[in-house]
Amino acid sequence: MNYIELLDKKPDLVTPGTSACQGCPAELSLRATLKVLGENTIMCIPPGCMAGAGCVGWNFDSGLKVPVHITLLDNTAAVLTGINEAHGRDVTVAAFAGDGATSDCGFQSLSATAERGENVIYICYDNEGYMNTGFQRSGSTTKGSMTSTTPVGEVGKGKEQQKKDLPLIMAMHNPAYLATLSPSHMSDFVKKMEKAKSIKDGFVYLHIFSPCPTGWGFDGAKSIEVARKAVETNIFPLYEVDHGEYKLTVPNKNPKPVSELFGMMKKFRHVSEQGIQDVQNYVDKKYKTLQALVGQE
Amino acid sequence: MARDFITPKGDEGIYQIDTASWRTYKPVMDKDICVECGICLTYCPVNSIHKENEKYIIDLSYCKGCGICANECPKKAIDMVTEGDK
Ligand code: SF4
Ligand code: SF4
């Protein structure tokens, strides 16, 4: 079955009507994730866009067609551990959490779960902020971004710090498998998700880039285009680490300048040339690190 | 659905909202231009596009009218038309 047939034929385990914004790629990623992971899965979704969109349900209704727990922002990975202990490994135990819940609030339990090598899958969808509570910045927000807590005016110039590189931080925990995924590269996405499901000997961390039309300020029809641009500019390189082996799954020999991504949305509209150059330098340096890890300097 | 583990409460009811009512524009596919590549299907966030009898079709029951399918179709076979127009 190729990836298009898979996405067409596998049962959609998410409610048909979620309240995720028009054009939200996190909704696409969650549906694709569960098409691959399948019915024998227990999900944990902490507060965030996907929980708020009704995927954890309301009152007596569920938002998924598999068991789903709404965890706390700070204990998602610990809950995965407990569920896995209770059920053993024939069930897939997975989290689908935002970047705030992952890189900030839930990092302690995530780091500990990775270090213990628990047999669970932790998936982060990275929309670079606390989007469902009104677009506050997170550790994963790109430098220069205008958010409600890094406003732009006479004094403020957007977020002052560079993006926390969570995938690489997690790679340094030596997980059994780690990968970065983008909804713009669906064949690569499905392949990595299938691999994640097949891992039986340790912790799996997946990081999905998830542009937010409402919070970043672009037309929802362009969500996939923006995600693709992030890959083409190396802002979000696609790679995997399979038991310590680094591999660029979508090598990018001629990266486009980051300014091409910056020009696509409102959150970067105010950023000066120097501001763009700062991010360009950071992205170039990060990519060099990655190439060194892959072993192709 | 038979499961080995626990049965979610949702089996009693799945939470869903009428997202079709959000639409201002709806996607209309021109079957003569479409080359059946399936790209639109892979990107629809709402799972509204499927292959039936070797043809791709758009089911509007939950389609939010986001326009991703129209934007991504390499053949420009999908048009976003104002809801209510033909
Ligand atoms: S992307 Fe365009 S050409 Fe391809 S199946 Fe969809 S409508 Fe047809
Ligand atoms: S307009 Fe959006 S929701 Fe509707 S079919 Fe196209 S991609 Fe899917």
PDB file of all heavy atoms in Angstrom, chain A residues 89-115:
ATOM      1  N   ARG A  89       3.304  -4.138  25.996  1.00  0.00           N
ATOM      2  CA  ARG A  89       3.729  -3.523  24.754  1.00  0.00           C
ATOM      3  C   ARG A  89       2.852  -3.847  23.536  1.00  0.00           C
ATOM      4  O   ARG A  89       3.089  -3.351  22.454  1.00  0.00           O
ATOM      5  CB  ARG A  89       5.197  -3.874  24.485  1.00  0.00           C
ATOM      6  CG  ARG A  89       5.846  -3.088  23.375  1.00  0.00           C
ATOM      7  CD  ARG A  89       5.516  -1.608  23.438  1.00  0.00           C
ATOM      8  NE  ARG A  89       5.969  -0.911  22.230  1.00  0.00           N
ATOM      9  CZ  ARG A  89       5.612   0.304  21.893  1.00  0.00           C
ATOM     10  NH1 ARG A  89       4.787   0.978  22.636  1.00  0.00           N
ATOM     11  NH2 ARG A  89       6.067   0.865  20.796  1.00  0.00           N
ATOM     12  N   ASP A  90       1.805  -4.664  23.672  1.00  0.00           N
ATOM     13  CA  ASP A  90       1.038  -4.959  22.457  1.00  0.00           C
ATOM     14  C   ASP A  90       0.072  -3.836  22.132  1.00  0.00           C
ATOM     15  O   ASP A  90      -0.616  -3.869  21.117  1.00  0.00           O
ATOM     16  CB  ASP A  90       0.272  -6.295  22.542  1.00  0.00           C
ATOM     17  CG  ASP A  90       0.576  -7.052  23.800  1.00  0.00           C
ATOM     18  OD1 ASP A  90       1.683  -6.836  24.299  1.00  0.00           O
ATOM     19  OD2 ASP A  90      -0.273  -7.823  24.265  1.00  0.00           O
ATOM     20  N   VAL A  91       0.000  -2.837  22.989  1.00  0.00           N
ATOM     21  CA  VAL A  91      -0.793  -1.668  22.644  1.00  0.00           C
ATOM     22  C   VAL A  91       0.178  -0.514  22.394  1.00  0.00           C
ATOM     23  O   VAL A  91       1.229  -0.428  23.019  1.00  0.00           O
ATOM     24  CB  VAL A  91      -1.807  -1.349  23.772  1.00  0.00           C
ATOM     25  CG1 VAL A  91      -1.115  -0.921  25.035  1.00  0.00           C
ATOM     26  CG2 VAL A  91      -2.801  -0.300  23.333  1.00  0.00           C
ATOM     27  N   THR A  92      -0.147   0.323  21.401  1.00  0.00           N
ATOM     28  CA  THR A  92       0.700   1.477  21.137  1.00  0.00           C
ATOM     29  C   THR A  92       0.258   2.612  22.045  1.00  0.00           C
ATOM     30  O   THR A  92      -0.915   2.981  22.046  1.00  0.00           O
ATOM     31  CB  THR A  92       0.569   1.905  19.651  1.00  0.00           C
ATOM     32  OG1 THR A  92       0.893   0.783  18.841  1.00  0.00           O
ATOM     33  CG2 THR A  92       1.485   3.053  19.319  1.00  0.00           C
ATOM     34  N   VAL A  93       1.182   3.124  22.824  1.00  0.00           N
ATOM     35  CA  VAL A  93       0.854   4.222  23.747  1.00  0.00           C
ATOM     36  C   VAL A  93       1.535   5.476  23.211  1.00  0.00           C
ATOM     37  O   VAL A  93       2.757   5.513  23.063  1.00  0.00           O
ATOM     38  CB  VAL A  93       1.341   3.902  25.170  1.00  0.00           C
ATOM     39  CG1 VAL A  93       0.956   5.011  26.127  1.00  0.00           C
ATOM     40  CG2 VAL A  93       0.757   2.574  25.639  1.00  0.00           C
ATOM     41  N   ALA A  94       0.738   6.481  22.883  1.00  0.00           N
ATOM     42  CA  ALA A  94       1.308   7.655  22.228  1.00  0.00           C
ATOM     43  C   ALA A  94       0.723   8.949  22.765  1.00  0.00           C
ATOM     44  O   ALA A  94      -0.440   9.005  23.153  1.00  0.00           O
ATOM     45  CB  ALA A  94       1.067   7.567  20.718  1.00  0.00           C
ATOM     46  N   ALA A  95       1.552   9.984  22.765  1.00  0.00           N
ATOM     47  CA  ALA A  95       1.086  11.323  23.126  1.00  0.00           C
ATOM     48  C   ALA A  95       1.081  12.190  21.886  1.00  0.00           C
ATOM     49  O   ALA A  95       1.891  11.998  20.980  1.00  0.00           O
ATOM     50  CB  ALA A  95       2.014  11.934  24.164  1.00  0.00           C
ATOM     51  N   PHE A  96       0.153  13.135  21.835  1.00  0.00           N
ATOM     52  CA  PHE A  96       0.119  14.134  20.766  1.00  0.00           C
ATOM     53  C   PHE A  96       0.004  15.482  21.474  1.00  0.00           C
ATOM     54  O   PHE A  96      -1.086  15.872  21.902  1.00  0.00           O
ATOM     55  CB  PHE A  96      -1.067  13.870  19.833  1.00  0.00           C
ATOM     56  CG  PHE A  96      -0.914  14.485  18.472  1.00  0.00           C
ATOM     57  CD1 PHE A  96      -0.146  13.876  17.498  1.00  0.00           C
ATOM     58  CD2 PHE A  96      -1.549  15.681  18.155  1.00  0.00           C
ATOM     59  CE1 PHE A  96       0.000  14.440  16.230  1.00  0.00           C
ATOM     60  CE2 PHE A  96      -1.411  16.251  16.890  1.00  0.00           C
ATOM     61  CZ  PHE A  96      -0.635  15.626  15.921  1.00  0.00           C
ATOM     62  N   ALA A  97       1.142  16.138  21.638  1.00  0.00           N
ATOM     63  CA  ALA A  97       1.190  17.329  22.488  1.00  0.00           C
ATOM     64  C   ALA A  97       1.782  18.516  21.745  1.00  0.00           C
ATOM     65  O   ALA A  97       2.607  18.354  20.859  1.00  0.00           O
ATOM     66  CB  ALA A  97       2.053  17.026  23.714  1.00  0.00           C
ATOM     67  N   GLY A  98       1.371  19.692  22.116  1.00  0.00           N
ATOM     68  CA  GLY A  98       1.903  20.902  21.490  1.00  0.00           C
ATOM     69  C   GLY A  98       3.316  21.205  21.951  1.00  0.00           C
ATOM     70  O   GLY A  98       3.858  20.533  22.835  1.00  0.00           O
ATOM     71  N   ASP A  99       3.914  22.236  21.355  1.00  0.00           N
ATOM     72  CA  ASP A  99       5.300  22.548  21.701  1.00  0.00           C
ATOM     73  C   ASP A  99       5.406  23.197  23.079  1.00  0.00           C
ATOM     74  O   ASP A  99       6.429  23.055  23.747  1.00  0.00           O
ATOM     75  CB  ASP A  99       5.929  23.465  20.643  1.00  0.00           C
ATOM     76  CG  ASP A  99       5.121  24.724  20.425  1.00  0.00           C
ATOM     77  OD1 ASP A  99       4.030  24.624  19.838  1.00  0.00           O
ATOM     78  OD2 ASP A  99       5.563  25.801  20.846  1.00  0.00           O
ATOM     79  N   GLY A 100       4.358  23.879  23.527  1.00  0.00           N
ATOM     80  CA  GLY A 100       4.389  24.449  24.877  1.00  0.00           C
ATOM     81  C   GLY A 100       4.408  23.341  25.913  1.00  0.00           C
ATOM     82  O   GLY A 100       5.238  23.329  26.832  1.00  0.00           O
ATOM     83  N   ALA A 101       3.517  22.371  25.730  1.00  0.00           N
ATOM     84  CA  ALA A 101       3.424  21.233  26.639  1.00  0.00           C
ATOM     85  C   ALA A 101       4.690  20.385  26.587  1.00  0.00           C
ATOM     86  O   ALA A 101       4.995  19.667  27.533  1.00  0.00           O
ATOM     87  CB  ALA A 101       2.210  20.374  26.290  1.00  0.00           C
ATOM     88  N   THR A 102       5.421  20.462  25.504  1.00  0.00           N
ATOM     89  CA  THR A 102       6.573  19.591  25.316  1.00  0.00           C
ATOM     90  C   THR A 102       7.886  20.270  25.697  1.00  0.00           C
ATOM     91  O   THR A 102       8.638  19.768  26.531  1.00  0.00           O
ATOM     92  CB  THR A 102       6.647  19.133  23.842  1.00  0.00           C
ATOM     93  OG1 THR A 102       5.398  18.546  23.503  1.00  0.00           O
ATOM     94  CG2 THR A 102       7.764  18.136  23.626  1.00  0.00           C
ATOM     95  N   SER A 103       8.131  21.439  25.109  1.00  0.00           N
ATOM     96  CA  SER A 103       9.444  22.055  25.324  1.00  0.00           C
ATOM     97  C   SER A 103       9.491  22.869  26.618  1.00  0.00           C
ATOM     98  O   SER A 103      10.568  23.122  27.144  1.00  0.00           O
ATOM     99  CB  SER A 103       9.836  22.933  24.136  1.00  0.00           C
ATOM    100  OG  SER A 103       8.998  24.053  24.056  1.00  0.00           O
ATOM    101  N   ASP A 104       8.332  23.297  27.132  1.00  0.00           N
ATOM    102  CA  ASP A 104       8.334  24.082  28.372  1.00  0.00           C
ATOM    103  C   ASP A 104       7.747  23.262  29.538  1.00  0.00           C
ATOM    104  O   ASP A 104       8.469  22.645  30.296  1.00  0.00           O
ATOM    105  CB  ASP A 104       7.524  25.373  28.213  1.00  0.00           C
ATOM    106  CG  ASP A 104       8.025  26.265  27.086  1.00  0.00           C
ATOM    107  OD1 ASP A 104       9.161  26.078  26.631  1.00  0.00           O
ATOM    108  OD2 ASP A 104       7.266  27.153  26.659  1.00  0.00           O
ATOM    109  N   CYS A 105       6.414  23.241  29.615  1.00  0.00           N
ATOM    110  CA  CYS A 105       5.740  22.706  30.814  1.00  0.00           C
ATOM    111  C   CYS A 105       6.048  21.233  31.070  1.00  0.00           C
ATOM    112  O   CYS A 105       6.260  20.828  32.205  1.00  0.00           O
ATOM    113  CB  CYS A 105       4.231  22.836  30.700  1.00  0.00           C
ATOM    114  SG  CYS A 105       3.662  24.370  30.026  1.00  0.00           S
ATOM    115  N   GLY A 106       6.045  20.417  30.033  1.00  0.00           N
ATOM    116  CA  GLY A 106       6.151  18.982  30.247  1.00  0.00           C
ATOM    117  C   GLY A 106       7.546  18.435  30.076  1.00  0.00           C
ATOM    118  O   GLY A 106       7.744  17.219  30.030  1.00  0.00           O
ATOM    119  N   PHE A 107       8.527  19.330  29.989  1.00  0.00           N
ATOM    120  CA  PHE A 107       9.865  18.864  29.614  1.00  0.00           C
ATOM    121  C   PHE A 107      10.497  17.935  30.657  1.00  0.00           C
ATOM    122  O   PHE A 107      11.176  16.969  30.306  1.00  0.00           O
ATOM    123  CB  PHE A 107      10.792  20.049  29.338  1.00  0.00           C
ATOM    124  CG  PHE A 107      12.136  19.603  28.849  1.00  0.00           C
ATOM    125  CD1 PHE A 107      12.264  19.032  27.587  1.00  0.00           C
ATOM    126  CD2 PHE A 107      13.254  19.680  29.644  1.00  0.00           C
ATOM    127  CE1 PHE A 107      13.488  18.566  27.133  1.00  0.00           C
ATOM    128  CE2 PHE A 107      14.482  19.216  29.206  1.00  0.00           C
ATOM    129  CZ  PHE A 107      14.599  18.662  27.947  1.00  0.00           C
ATOM    130  N   GLN A 108      10.246  18.229  31.915  1.00  0.00           N
ATOM    131  CA  GLN A 108      10.860  17.413  32.969  1.00  0.00           C
ATOM    132  C   GLN A 108      10.415  15.953  32.855  1.00  0.00           C
ATOM    133  O   GLN A 108      11.240  15.037  32.836  1.00  0.00           O
ATOM    134  CB  GLN A 108      10.518  18.020  34.346  1.00  0.00           C
ATOM    135  CG  GLN A 108      10.977  17.197  35.531  1.00  0.00           C
ATOM    136  CD  GLN A 108       9.945  16.167  35.961  1.00  0.00           C
ATOM    137  OE1 GLN A 108      10.267  15.011  36.123  1.00  0.00           O
ATOM    138  NE2 GLN A 108       8.700  16.566  36.103  1.00  0.00           N
ATOM    139  N   SER A 109       9.097  15.741  32.733  1.00  0.00           N
ATOM    140  CA  SER A 109       8.634  14.349  32.670  1.00  0.00           C
ATOM    141  C   SER A 109       9.017  13.707  31.334  1.00  0.00           C
ATOM    142  O   SER A 109       9.295  12.518  31.261  1.00  0.00           O
ATOM    143  CB  SER A 109       7.127  14.260  32.929  1.00  0.00           C
ATOM    144  OG  SER A 109       6.387  14.843  31.891  1.00  0.00           O
ATOM    145  N   LEU A 110       9.069  14.532  30.267  1.00  0.00           N
ATOM    146  CA  LEU A 110       9.484  14.004  28.961  1.00  0.00           C
ATOM    147  C   LEU A 110      10.939  13.550  29.009  1.00  0.00           C
ATOM    148  O   LEU A 110      11.287  12.442  28.565  1.00  0.00           O
ATOM    149  CB  LEU A 110       9.300  15.095  27.886  1.00  0.00           C
ATOM    150  CG  LEU A 110       9.900  14.826  26.515  1.00  0.00           C
ATOM    151  CD1 LEU A 110       9.256  13.606  25.855  1.00  0.00           C
ATOM    152  CD2 LEU A 110       9.743  16.043  25.603  1.00  0.00           C
ATOM    153  N   SER A 111      11.790  14.392  29.563  1.00  0.00           N
ATOM    154  CA  SER A 111      13.215  14.078  29.632  1.00  0.00           C
ATOM    155  C   SER A 111      13.438  12.808  30.461  1.00  0.00           C
ATOM    156  O   SER A 111      14.221  11.929  30.082  1.00  0.00           O
ATOM    157  CB  SER A 111      13.966  15.262  30.249  1.00  0.00           C
ATOM    158  OG  SER A 111      15.325  14.947  30.424  1.00  0.00           O
ATOM    159  N   ALA A 112      12.702  12.698  31.579  1.00  0.00           N
ATOM    160  CA  ALA A 112      12.874  11.530  32.441  1.00  0.00           C
ATOM    161  C   ALA A 112      12.382  10.259  31.749  1.00  0.00           C
ATOM    162  O   ALA A 112      13.007   9.196  31.837  1.00  0.00           O
ATOM    163  CB  ALA A 112      12.120  11.753  33.752  1.00  0.00           C
ATOM    164  N   THR A 113      11.275  10.372  31.023  1.00  0.00           N
ATOM    165  CA  THR A 113      10.715   9.212  30.324  1.00  0.00           C
ATOM    166  C   THR A 113      11.675   8.751  29.224  1.00  0.00           C
ATOM    167  O   THR A 113      11.891   7.552  29.030  1.00  0.00           O
ATOM    168  CB  THR A 113       9.336   9.570  29.735  1.00  0.00           C
ATOM    169  OG1 THR A 113       8.506  10.000  30.818  1.00  0.00           O
ATOM    170  CG2 THR A 113       8.685   8.393  29.050  1.00  0.00           C
ATOM    171  N   ALA A 114      12.267   9.711  28.525  1.00  0.00           N
ATOM    172  CA  ALA A 114      13.241   9.380  27.476  1.00  0.00           C
ATOM    173  C   ALA A 114      14.479   8.731  28.084  1.00  0.00           C
ATOM    174  O   ALA A 114      14.997   7.740  27.577  1.00  0.00           O
ATOM    175  CB  ALA A 114      13.614  10.641  26.711  1.00  0.00           C
ATOM    176  N   GLU A 115      14.921   9.279  29.203  1.00  0.00           N
ATOM    177  CA  GLU A 115      16.141   8.762  29.845  1.00  0.00           C
ATOM    178  C   GLU A 115      15.920   7.327  30.340  1.00  0.00           C
ATOM    179  O   GLU A 115      16.810   6.475  30.231  1.00  0.00           O
ATOM    180  CB  GLU A 115      16.533   9.707  30.998  1.00  0.00           C
ATOM    181  CG  GLU A 115      17.810   9.337  31.731  1.00  0.00           C
ATOM    182  CD  GLU A 115      17.537   8.488  32.961  1.00  0.00           C
ATOM    183  OE1 GLU A 115      16.466   8.648  33.583  1.00  0.00           O
ATOM    184  OE2 GLU A 115      18.368   7.641  33.275  1.00  0.00           O
TER     185      GLU A 115
END
